[in-house]
Amino acid sequence: IIILPIATRADHLDILEEQIRLVLADNDTAAIAPSVLTLGSSAVAAETFRRAKPALVIAELGNVAVPASDELRTLIRSLECPLILVR
């Protein structure tokens, strides 16, 4: 399992990475990929997903990675895997 943290702000990314490390503390089968700072661009997130070629994406609806707008189409076109949205 490879986890790819994505956030719009550096301080959010720091918190996210810290939380992931706490959860993965005793897990030898998971790794954290280099984080991506999108600076508010859903296109950056979509391109990151396209390059990473994930087997599964779990994301929060309404954030920059999965916007609750027409920009969601950009992400969906870039994915070749299932997308699970959470609120």
Side-chain angles (χ1 to χ4, degrees):
I1 297 172
I2 299 174
I3 299 172
L4 174 61
I6 297 177
T8 57
R9 295 178 22 194
D11 57 332
H12 290 175
L13 202 52
D14 291 341
I15 293 167
L16 182 58
E17 289 176 344
E18 182 179 308
Q19 294 299 312
I20 292 169
R21 282 188 178 78
L22 288 172
V23 170
L24 298 180
D26 296 327
N27 190 327
D28 294 336
T29 61
I32 302 173
S35 301
V36 176
L37 186 60
T38 64
L39 301 174
S41 171
S42 59
V44 171
E47 179 62 13
T48 300
F49 286 133
R50 188 191 67 75
R51 289 181 183 187
K53 298 182 182 184
L56 173 68
V57 172
I58 302 171
E60 180 182 6
L61 179 63
N63 66 20
V64 72
V66 186
S69 68
D70 289 340
E71 293 182 41
L72 180 57
R73 290 184 184 139
T74 303
L75 172 64
I76 291 171
R77 285 187 197 119
S78 69
L79 291 176
E80 295 182 14
C81 68
L83 171 64
I84 297 174
L85 298 176
V86 296
R87 298 194 301 155

